[in-house]
Structure formats: C-alpha cells, structure tokens
C-alpha cells in the first residue's frame, strides 16, 4: 500500500481506525489472542473461584480464602498489565508499518520487544506517578481545609460536601487532560526508540492545539465500544442467568454479575486495538502538521533502529 501522509481530522482518524481494524480483523484477532491468552485463561479460573467463594459457606470457615484471592488478583493484574503493554508495543509497530505502507517498512514488530518493554513500563509508571502525585497535591490540602471548615455544624458539612464535589470534578478533568496530553508518549517511545522522559516531553509538545481533536476521537470510540459491549454482553448474560425474574434472586444475581463482567472483559480485550490504532494515526498526523514529516524520514529512522538491533544481537 502507498499512502500520502497528511494531517487527520476527527472523521478521518475514526475512518482509518475502523478500516485498519476490520480489513485486518483476522490478523488483529490472532495478535490479541497471542498476547492475551494467558491472562484470559487466568481470568476464567479467577472468576470461577470468586463465584464459588461467593456461593459457598466455606468462606466463613476458612478466613485465608479472601487473602488468597487478593494475592491472585494482584498477580493476575501484573500479568495482564505486562501482556497489555507487550500487545501495545507489537500493535503500535504493526499499525505504523501497515498504515504507512511499503515506502516506510518498519523493523519486525517483535524486534527488541523486551528492550522496548522496559521503556514502556517506565513511561507508564511516570505517567501514573504524575497523576497520583498531582491528585494528592490537590486533594490533601482541600480535604484538610474542608474538614476545618466543617466544624461539626450543618453549614460546615454543606461546605464540605460542595467542596468535595467540586474537587472530584476537578480531579476527573485533570486526569482526562493528563491522559490526552500523554496520548503520543507510547507511540514516541516505541517508534522513535527514545527514553520515557523524552517521550513524555515529546507528547506534551505534539498535543498542543490538538487536545480537543484527541478528546473527540477517543470519546466517540469509547461510546461505540461501550454500546457494542452492552448490546452483545447483556443478552448473553441474561440468558446464562435465566429469565429476568430468576436473575433478581440472590444466587442468580451473583451469577449474572460475574457473567456480565467476564464477558465484558473478553470483549474489551478484542476491542482494545481500537484504542491503539488512533493513537498511532494521530501521532503521525501531529508530526506531519508540526514537523513536516515525510515517509523517507520515517524509513531512515526505522532503518537505523533495525541496524542498531542487529548490532545488539551480535554483541
């Protein structure tokens, strides 16, 4: 395929995202299956164990079971997180090569994956610490001020409730702003082969003037994915739990809850590339718009990365 790099608007970004996904659905399905099979199998046993524990009297006799499942949840979360990052690395490189075509052939998506994984993990940790630290800086002082103002009076509690509500809104807005600002950090660290700190700075630079476009693209994708998940998962969950009257009973309500959550988890796994694709497409769009990026420059960068990888393999 031969493609002319150009800035993308919201509609074009969405169109290219779904074109990549559906025209390569079999390949994308196998990629996701390869990276998510172990976490998926683990989730089956985990949810089965939780369901059995919720419907068993053994819990009251064995107090260690909740602790065991908590430890299992932590391990499962770590494995799923690493698998998700590896999938992101592979799909980012695959998307770039597939989208740009033969004129800018990327190095093999599996090339230097573990080296990239370290940088991607570092990027994710820095972003997480930025979010947590910034939220803490905002939350702690306002919470202390609110508690001081409350003073045990009705008016004080009203002020406390109002400030808490405003605080939560501010926190959500800030997190959304931060995630939008970090949209290009992962494509940059993976495709430009740079460090986590430099990738974050690159992302802040590239998103300037494009935050509303990024927000619009990902909001629309989220709404589409949510609607598709609800439309597919809800009927299956109701069937698996019985009719609506039976679902309202205590036992079947638990089964319905785990069935809904489990099916939704698996569906979201296979729809997850819909979040990777637009990040890569918008990243190239921003570079074209701000840096006059050309396919030849991308090809030179990837060739240099490929030669460095070959040298690493000989040492």
């Amino acid at each position: 395929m031969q493609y002319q790099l150009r800035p993308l608007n919201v509609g074009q970004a969405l169109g290219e995202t779904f074109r990549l996904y559906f025209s390569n659905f079999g390949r994308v399905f196998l990629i996701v299956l390869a990276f998510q099979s172990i976490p998926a199998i683990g989730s089956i046993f985990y949810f089965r164990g939780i369901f059995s524990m919720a419907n068993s009297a053994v819990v009251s006799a064995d107090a260690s079971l909740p602790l065991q499942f908590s430890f299992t949840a932590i391990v499962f979360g770590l494995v799923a997180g690493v698998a998700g990052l590896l999938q992101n690395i592979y799909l980012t490189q695959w998307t770039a090569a597939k989208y740009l075509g033969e004129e800018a052939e990327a190095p093999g998506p599996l090339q230097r994956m573990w080296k990239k994984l370290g940088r991607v993990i570092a990027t994710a940790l820095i972003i997480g610490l930025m979010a947590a630290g910034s939220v803490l800086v905002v939350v702690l002082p306002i919470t202390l001020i609110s508690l001081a103002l409350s003073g045990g009076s009705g008016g004080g509690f009203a002020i406390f409730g109002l400030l808490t509500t405003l605080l939560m809104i501010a926190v959500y807005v800030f997190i959304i702003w931060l995630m939008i600002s970090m949209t290009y950090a992962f494509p940059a660290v993976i495709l430009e082969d740079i460090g986590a700190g430099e990738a974050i700075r690159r992302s802040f630079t590239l998103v300037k003037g494009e935050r509303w476009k990024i927000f619009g693209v990902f909001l629309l994708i989220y709404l589409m994915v949510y609607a598709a998940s609800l439309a597919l998962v809800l009927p299956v969950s109701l069937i698996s739990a019985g009719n609506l009257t039976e679902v309202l009973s205590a036992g079947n309500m638990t089964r319905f809850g785990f069935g809904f959550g489990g099916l939704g988890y698996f569906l979201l796994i296979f729809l997850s590339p819909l979040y990777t694709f637009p990040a890569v497409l918008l990243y190239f769009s921003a570079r074209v718009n701000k840096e006059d990026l050309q396919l030849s420059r991308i090809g030179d960068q990837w060739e240099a990365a490929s030669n460095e990888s070959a040298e690493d393999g000989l040492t």
Side-chain angles (χ1 to χ4, degrees):
M1 181 185 75
Q2 196 170 21
Y3 184 76
Q4 183 67 39
L5 276 175
R6 69 187 190 280
L8 301 175
N9 57 33
V10 173
Q12 291 168 334
L14 288 172
E16 291 297 328
T17 294
F18 288 106
R19 181 186 66 81
L20 277 171
Y21 185 82
F22 289 109
S23 64
N24 300 280
F25 181 78
R27 178 69 179 272
V28 172
F29 181 88
L30 291 176
I31 291 172
V32 174
L33 187 64
F35 286 104
Q36 299 294 338
S37 57
I38 293 178
I41 293 171
S43 70
I44 292 173
F45 287 101
Y46 177 73
F47 281 115
R48 283 186 62 184
I50 291 290
F51 178 74
S52 300
M53 186 176 70
N55 291 277
S56 174
V58 178
V59 180
S60 58
D62 189 353
S64 67
L65 280 177
L67 183 61
Q68 293 175 13
F69 278 106
S70 298
F71 176 77
T72 304
I74 293 173
V75 173
F76 168 68
L78 290 174
V79 172
V82 171
L85 291 176
L86 286 172
Q87 176 186 302
N88 191 13
I89 295 170
Y90 188 99
L91 278 177
T92 296
Q93 295 184 105
W94 178 84
T95 303
K98 194 72 176 177
Y99 181 63
L100 298 177
E102 296 177 357
E103 287 192 24
E105 187 68 28
L110 291 173
Q111 213 167 32
R112 304 175 69 208
M113 178 171 287
W114 292 104
K115 183 176 181 179
K116 292 178 184 293
L117 176 63
R119 294 175 179 177
V120 170
I121 289 176
T123 304
L125 288 176
I126 292 174
I127 293 173
L129 289 173
M130 289 172 61
S134 301
V135 169
L136 184 62
V137 167
V138 174
V139 169
L140 189 58
I142 295 183
T143 301
L144 293 175
I145 293 173
S146 300
L147 289 172
L149 288 175
S150 64
S153 64
F157 280 116
I159 295 174
F160 175 76
L162 177 61
L163 288 178
T164 301
T165 302
L166 294 176
L167 171 64
M168 293 303 298
I169 294 174
V171 167
Y172 283 127
V173 170
F174 172 77
I175 291 176
I176 292 173
W177 177 87
L178 180 64
M179 292 301 101
I180 291 173
S181 300
M182 295 293 100
T183 299
Y184 302 146
F186 290 108
V189 78
I190 294 168
L191 297 174
E192 298 183 38
D193 210 22
I194 57 180
E198 186 178 353
I200 289 173
R201 288 192 294 271
R202 286 277 290 148
S203 185
F204 269 114
T205 300
L206 290 173
V207 300
K208 289 180 179 178
E210 299 202 350
R211 286 188 172 89
W212 282 112
K213 178 171 68 175
I214 296 170
F215 176 75
V217 169
F218 282 97
L219 176 63
L220 290 172
I221 289 178
Y222 170 79
L223 293 175
M224 293 177 190
V225 169
Y226 181 79
S229 303
L230 195 63
L232 293 174
V233 171
L234 186 59
V236 176
S237 298
L238 288 172
I239 292 171
S240 66
N243 61 43
L244 186 59
T245 303
E246 293 174 340
V247 166
L248 296 177
S249 65
N252 278 340
M253 194 63 190
T254 303
R255 180 182 299 172
F256 169 76
F258 286 116
F260 186 86
L263 288 172
Y265 168 77
F266 284 109
L267 185 60
L268 290 176
I269 283 178
F270 289 104
L271 293 176
S272 60
L274 290 175
Y275 295 102
T276 302
F277 292 165
V280 178
L281 301 180
L282 290 172
Y283 159 79
F284 283 121
S285 172
R287 291 192 64 185
V288 171
N289 193 35
K290 299 177 184 295
E291 302 173 353
D292 192 26
L293 183 67
Q294 303 295 325
L295 284 175
S296 58
R297 286 182 56 195
I298 301 173
D300 292 341
Q301 288 179 351
W302 285 346
E303 183 179 359
S306 182
N307 291 336
E308 182 182 347
S309 177
E311 292 175 2
D312 289 345
L314 294 174
T315 57

